[in-house]
Amino acid sequence: MPASAVLSPDLAPLLTVSRDRQHPLTVDGLTKKYVYGPVVLRDLSHTFAPGTATALVGPNGSGKSTLLRVLGALSPPTTGHVRLGEVDVHAHPHRFLASAGVVHDLPDLPGYLTGMEALEWIARERGTWDEGAPARHAALFDALHLDERRDALIRTYSSGMARKTQLALAFVGGPSVLLLDEPFRALDAEATEDALSLLMAFRDGGGLVVLSSHRADLLARLCDATLDLGT
């Protein structure tokens, strides 16, 4: 599926962010130092705007994954603040995460659930489960070409299937922000185009995307801006 493909109308609620939910993600004076390690990020300030996709770039060890973990409330800053609009991400993590979809570098999925069950679980947690949810979830897996395996246990999935499920889970709660660490890893060429289509549609629908990837060609197609952590 090329990145310009028309996606199912069932996906519109997950790919369109209303004006009242479009807020900048602001990093202010962020420093991150691990207790027994070096300073990874130092006095970083940046604003990520709604309706844009920003690529985090820099050599290995420059702090791309660390920044994504801090942005996603998975790791606290040593100093500084991260805010989505007026919400302090680390002071109110549950409030922030209700608006965020996250793909970690390594899969961390409930292997005892099927793909469809995992989507239902997140949708119920995020309050997006309704009579239209099964159709939306099926459309997500259709868009990512996770077909017959969606009703199999996740622990039986290949690495590519697991990554597709991670991507679907990032969308299923109707986020306004996506934070993605190597989202194209383990995907074949067709699945990569599928994922790119969803991300472009989300960005164009007012969503805010921050991601890292070793696929510079894909970042060039998707992203409006870059944040170089290696300078």
Side-chain angles (χ1 to χ4, degrees), residues 81-99:
H81 298 276
V82 180
R83 294 182 177 86
L84 179 64
E86 300 300 319
V87 176
D88 187 303
V89 166
H90 296 91
H92 305 283
H94 295 292
R95 187 175 170 191
F96 166 72
L97 289 171
S99 298

Side-chain angles (χ1 to χ4, degrees), residues 43 73 92 99 165 171 220:
D43 196 26
H92 305 283
S99 298
T165 304
F171 282 102

Side-chain angles (χ1 to χ4, degrees), residues 62-80:
S62 61
K64 299 185 293 294
S65 291
T66 295
L67 179 56
L68 285 166
R69 285 195 293 270
V70 173
L71 293 178
L74 298 174
S75 180
T78 305
T79 61

Side-chain angles (χ1 to χ4, degrees), residues 154-175:
I154 290 173
R155 66 169 176 257
T156 68
Y157 286 8
S158 68
S159 57
M161 293 173 187
R163 186 58 103 201
K164 291 178 182 181
T165 304
Q166 280 185 289
L167 285 162
L169 288 169
F171 282 102
V172 77

Side-chain angles (χ1 to χ4, degrees), residues 13-211:
L14 303 180
L15 302 178
T16 305
V17 180
S18 60
R19 287 284 185 181
D20 63 306
R21 296 177 60 237
Q22 294 181 21
H23 303 293
L25 183 63
T26 304
V27 178
D28 184 17
L30 174 67
T31 294
K32 178 64 181 180
K33 182 184 186 302
Y34 293 103
V35 175
Y36 298 108
V39 175
V40 182
L41 301 166
R42 188 187 299 275
D43 196 26
L44 176 67
S45 295
H46 190 82
T47 297
F48 303 95
T52 67
T54 301
L56 304 181
V57 299
N60 289 341
S62 61
K64 299 185 293 294
S65 291
T66 295
L67 179 56
L68 285 166
R69 285 195 293 270
V70 173
L71 293 178
L74 298 174
S75 180
T78 305
T79 61
H81 298 276
V82 180
R83 294 182 177 86
L84 179 64
E86 300 300 319
V87 176
D88 187 303
V89 166
H90 296 91
H92 305 283
H94 295 292
R95 187 175 170 191
F96 166 72
L97 289 171
S99 298
V102 180
V103 169
H104 305 296
D105 184 24
L106 298 175
D108 184 15
L109 298 170
Y112 53 87
L113 298 178
T114 69
M116 288 296 285
E117 287 171 343
L119 296 194
E120 179 177 346
W121 171 48
I122 295 298
R124 289 186 183 277
E125 285 286 316
R126 298 291 180 87
T128 60
W129 180 264
D130 57 28
E131 64 180 12
R136 292 195 298 274
H137 299 176
L140 263 176
F141 277 143
D142 287 346
L144 291 164
H145 283 91
L146 184 63
D147 301 320
E148 70 281 358
R149 300 292 293 169
R150 66 184 65 178
D151 292 314
L153 293 178
I154 290 173
R155 66 169 176 257
T156 68
Y157 286 8
S158 68
S159 57
M161 293 173 187
R163 186 58 103 201
K164 291 178 182 181
T165 304
Q166 280 185 289
L167 285 162
L169 288 169
F171 282 102
V172 77
S176 63
V177 175
L178 288 177
L179 304 170
L180 314 169
D181 197 350
E182 295 292 341
F184 308 112
R185 178 173 290 170
L187 298 183
D188 61 23
E190 180 182 53
T192 296
E193 291 296 329
D194 295 341
L196 200 60
S197 291
L198 285 171
L199 294 174
M200 286 179 168
F202 178 76
R203 176 203 62 195
D204 293 345
L208 189 163
V209 183
V210 184
L211 76 162

